[in-house]
Amino acid sequence: MGSFFRKLTRSQLAIPLFALLLLVVFNLFRDPEFFSVVIATNNDGNAVLSGNLISILNGASAIAILSIGMTLITSSCKGQDISVAAMAAIAGSVFVSVLRSNEITIPVILLAFLFGCVVSVLFSLFNGVLVAVFKIQPMIATLILFSAGRSIAYWINGGATPTVSSPLLVSIGGFIPGIPIPTPIIIMVVFLVLITLVLKLTNLGLYTQVVGINEGTAHLNGISPVLIKLIAFVISGICVATAGCITVCRIGLINHETLLLDAEMDVILAVAIGGNALSGGKFNIYGSIIGAYIIQALTVTLYAMKVPSAAVKAYKAIVIILIVVVSSPLVKEFVIKLNKKLFRKRAEKDVPVKAS
Amino acid sequence: MEKPGKKLREPISNTNLLMTITICTFIGMYLIAMIAWGGGFLNPQQFLDLFNNNAFLIIIACGLTMVMISGGIDISGGGVTALVTMACVVYLEDHGGTVLGSILMSLGIGLFFGLLHGVLVAYLEIQPFIVTLAGMFFARGMVTIVSIAPRTASHEAFLSLKQMRITIPGLGYYGKTGTFIPAQIELGVVIALIIVIAVAITLKWTRFGRNLYAVGGNSHSALTLGINVKRTKFFAYLLAGILSGIAGYVYLMHTGAGDAANATQAEMQAIASNIIGGTLLTGGVGNVIGTLFGMLSLKTITNIVIASGLTKPYYQSITTGLMLCFFILLQSIILAVREKGAIGVLPEWLRPGKKKN
């Protein structure tokens, strides 16, 4: 038990888990009913789960999916992609325009999703080529699509905010009849399982970290840094399309200006809160996902405390600063030193007792 | 094959090369615009309006240049600007404030954010992107806490300051009725230009400026040279914060209103100006004059897009994206070619410096 605890405190996940725990405890003290999950009947007459916990899990799914791709990019390219939200708007626009030109059936939805995927992977590869081949810093390379992406989405939509409505889309964005769990959560879990399998069964995780830690070494060992970086961008492109399509299904329309607005900042935060260094190298996908849930839990908590939605950002910022200060290397070092000091004192006290 | 006695020409540094490209591009672009579209581009007032409308952006970008040279990033500029405008308007209107008090307030807000970022980034070694992102969130959130509704200033002393214009002698244009209208600049432009010159002098001729380049270029060797890396970084963020505060006041002098939507995306435009001006995010390379011309190029492109009839806003951001793409690729290719030392491809002054014996 002691060794397990020591392992946990040394782990990268310690701080994010601790932050999540703190949020949970805070909410339990504030309102014991906060985490109660009840089965309610929604407008369509289905029995569904509802409650703050479900809305946290549900609301964070888009950011959690995006954070998977962002973690890989961060790890291999030592930088962040700030165009994910703009690309999600493009993918969503393609998704909607395919849906609107056909009758909405399951194959058409799959086809539309495939189109969205292809487009966002192409845009992501554009970023990837700039980063991997031309060796431009990721933040700068993606600044291009960050500033132009939403306008491209506007152009695809023809300047309007077209709506799509179909019971099938509602079941993707909301609930599948008969299953009480929101579909975005299920998609998120499927994604998580897929990425876990990819990382467990292939060397992708190892290679990505090697490229992030030392590109030269990777090259000498026969790993192509360019290829690994491009793979990270392709995976991120798929994540982006998925997140965009889920959000479109949830709200039933594509608004190129507000779709996943500021999500790139939340995603980068999720990666950082998850204990991953934004300067690349070692990464932990689960940390990033926990980070996404922390951000969403924080937002839901603030809404529950009746903080006006525009002011949520300010409180969020304070909590973020607290989390990064606690997890900063200097504070960690200080705690380790303090721990050693206390431990050594006890050891010194123990020695004379044994000698006598 | 140099003639004896002729001084060997100094090879141009990366900083100056990138800056020269930007300045040439800007001048070329403006000349083409003057010939192709004429009209507004021949009007000196339109040129000066580039400064009038973007004085705050110049100031934010100047602070950002210092931070970027030190190898960091500050994306809180727009948020701090918005917070300063709102706080000053509310102070002037609701609390009977004075102009001097509001100026001090803007400096104080900037100082607060600068101190916060500086301590967290330099002394606690937290990633600058996250710290300034939190700063941006905090500032944007605080704006709505101060006042959700947009406010307009009606304070008399402030309005007289706001309406102060400086006439440029000899420049002007003939209005529709044939009367001569002299070209004018706002007070904020003067402040912005003074700051550009001050930052340029700081970067070039002071110890702090040289330390910034050393720290950004290689912080380990800077440390072994005995440069106080942490203090240098701290002051870079502190100055960037104060400049954001001043930028907020200049913005207020331009529009006279406090609004949560003020200076939206100013941070990204400032970063883009810096990149076009030749400052590298990796640090160690950059120049504030380049930043100024980067900003002017960015805004001139927007004017050209509007002048050529593409008035829809999405054309502007797509062209901005394309222009960024062009400059980023150009920089990357030039730097890569220089590193490989492609002798014969480049003219002599573009080649990397040879080792002197």
Side-chain angles (χ1 to χ4, degrees), chain B residues 91-257:
Chain B
Y91 171 69
L92 285 170
E93 297 300 305
D94 298 353
H95 302 282
T98 58
V99 171
L100 184 68
S102 63
I103 291 174
L104 287 178
M105 189 162 175
S106 68
L107 288 176
I109 292 173
L111 186 72
F112 166 74
F113 278 93
L115 271 176
L116 184 74
H117 296 159
V119 169
L120 291 181
V121 173
Y123 291 105
L124 286 179
E125 292 169 12
I126 304 169
Q127 295 151 346
F129 188 87
I130 295 302
V131 170
T132 53
L133 178 67
M136 180 182 93
F137 277 175
F138 185 63
R140 288 269 176 214
M142 280 305 287
V143 179
T144 56
I145 291 176
V146 173
S147 162
I148 287 184
R151 300 285 305 268
T152 312
S154 56
H155 191 273
E156 274 182 23
F158 173 75
L159 282 185
S160 61
L161 185 72
K162 177 180 178 280
Q163 275 145 10
M164 196 183 282
R165 294 284 186 278
I166 294 149
T167 310
I168 308 234
L171 269 183
Y173 59 100
Y174 290 97
K176 276 173 188 160
T177 52
T179 47
F180 184 77
I181 305 168
Q184 290 177 323
I185 53 169
E186 289 175 20
L187 194 59
V189 179
V190 179
I191 299 174
L193 291 180
I194 290 173
I195 286 172
V196 169
I197 294 167
V199 172
I201 290 173
T202 311
L203 286 177
K204 194 143 183 79
W205 285 298
T206 65
R207 185 187 289 179
F208 168 68
R210 283 155 186 260
N211 285 356
L212 271 180
Y213 283 100
V215 167
N218 189 335
S219 62
H220 282 288
S221 33
L223 194 67
T224 44
L225 280 173
I227 294 170
N228 192 335
V229 173
K230 286 183 179 178
R231 200 173 61 197
T232 311
K233 280 189 179 174
F234 172 75
F235 276 110
Y237 284 94
L238 186 70
L239 284 174
I242 294 173
L243 287 183
S244 299
I246 298 174
Y249 205 79
V250 169
Y251 194 100
L252 188 62
M253 285 206 295
H254 181 63
T255 64

Side-chain angles (χ1 to χ4, degrees), chain A residues 82 126 130 134 136-137 139-141 143-144 146-148 151-152 154-155 265-266 268-269 272 276-279 308 310-311 313-318 320-321 324-325 328-331, chain B residues 73 75 116 120 123-127 129-130 133-134 136-138 140-142 144-145 230 265 268 271-272 275 280-282 312-314 317-318 320-322 324-325 328-329 332-333:
Chain A
I82 55 170
F126 167 74
L130 286 182
F134 288 95
I136 299 165
Q137 290 156 327
M139 236 193 91
I140 296 184
L143 188 66
I144 299 169
F146 173 85
S147 52
S151 296
I152 295 172
Y154 178 94
W155 176 67
M265 304 295 173
D266 276 347
I268 297 172
L269 265 182
N276 301 303
L278 291 188
S279 46
K313 273 185 178 176
Y315 297 98
K316 228 173 164 179
I318 295 172
I320 291 162
I321 289 179
V324 290
V325 165
S328 81
L330 276 186
V331 174
Chain B
I73 186 124
I75 54 170
L116 184 74
L120 291 181
Y123 291 105
L124 286 179
E125 292 169 12
I126 304 169
Q127 295 151 346
F129 188 87
I130 295 302
L133 178 67
M136 180 182 93
F137 277 175
F138 185 63
R140 288 269 176 214
M142 280 305 287
T144 56
I145 291 176
K230 286 183 179 178
Q265 304 234 318
M268 288 305 162
I271 294 175
I275 293 162
L280 297 186
L281 248 187
T282 34
K312 290 209 170 115
Y314 68 89
S317 38
I318 289 180
T320 309
L322 284 178
L324 267 175
C325 186
I328 290 167
L329 280 177
S332 143
I333 291 168

Side-chain angles (χ1 to χ4, degrees), chain A residues 115-321:
Chain A
F115 266 96
C117 259
V118 168
V119 170
S120 68
V121 165
L122 283 180
F123 275 106
S124 202
L125 271 178
F126 167 74
N127 285 337
V129 168
L130 286 182
V131 170
V133 179
F134 288 95
K135 304 215 179 340
I136 299 165
Q137 290 156 327
M139 236 193 91
I140 296 184
T142 54
L143 188 66
I144 299 169
L145 273 180
F146 173 85
S147 52
R150 288 189 189 270
S151 296
I152 295 172
Y154 178 94
W155 176 67
I156 294 172
N157 293 329
T161 53
T163 55
V164 277
S165 61
S166 156
L168 284 172
L169 293 180
V170 172
S171 64
I172 294 176
F175 296 90
I176 297 171
I179 299 176
I181 303 166
T183 322
I185 297 181
I186 300 174
I187 296 174
M188 169 62 215
V189 171
V190 169
F191 236 84
L192 188 59
V193 170
L194 277 180
I195 198 76
T196 309
L197 284 178
V198 167
L199 291 180
K200 283 264 185 260
L201 297 180
T202 67
N203 286 334
L204 183 67
L206 181 68
Y207 286 0
T208 306
Q209 297 185 27
V210 171
V211 169
I213 291 167
N214 191 332
E215 229 170 279
T217 315
H219 188 73
L220 290 177
N221 280 304
I223 304 167
S224 160
V226 173
L227 187 69
I228 296 293
K229 285 179 183 174
L230 288 181
I231 289 175
F233 274 97
V234 168
I235 293 177
S236 172
I238 296 168
C239 294
V240 162
T242 315
C245 294
I246 289 178
T247 319
V248 167
C249 291
R250 186 177 287 159
I251 53 181
L253 62 89
I254 170 79
N255 186 338
H256 55 92
E257 285 296 336
T258 55
L259 183 90
L260 289 171
L261 189 67
D262 286 342
E264 61 274 347
M265 304 295 173
D266 276 347
V267 173
I268 297 172
L269 265 182
V271 173
I273 291 176
N276 301 303
L278 291 188
S279 46
K282 278 190 82 173
F283 75 91
N284 191 330
I285 291 273
Y286 310 108
S288 305
I289 291 168
I290 293 172
Y293 288 121
I294 291 175
I295 293 170
Q296 190 64 23
L298 187 61
T299 314
V300 170
T301 308
L302 288 171
Y303 282 141
M305 287 165 74
K306 307 234 167 11
V307 173
S309 63
V312 161
K313 273 185 178 176
Y315 297 98
K316 228 173 164 179
I318 295 172
V319 177
I320 291 162
I321 289 179

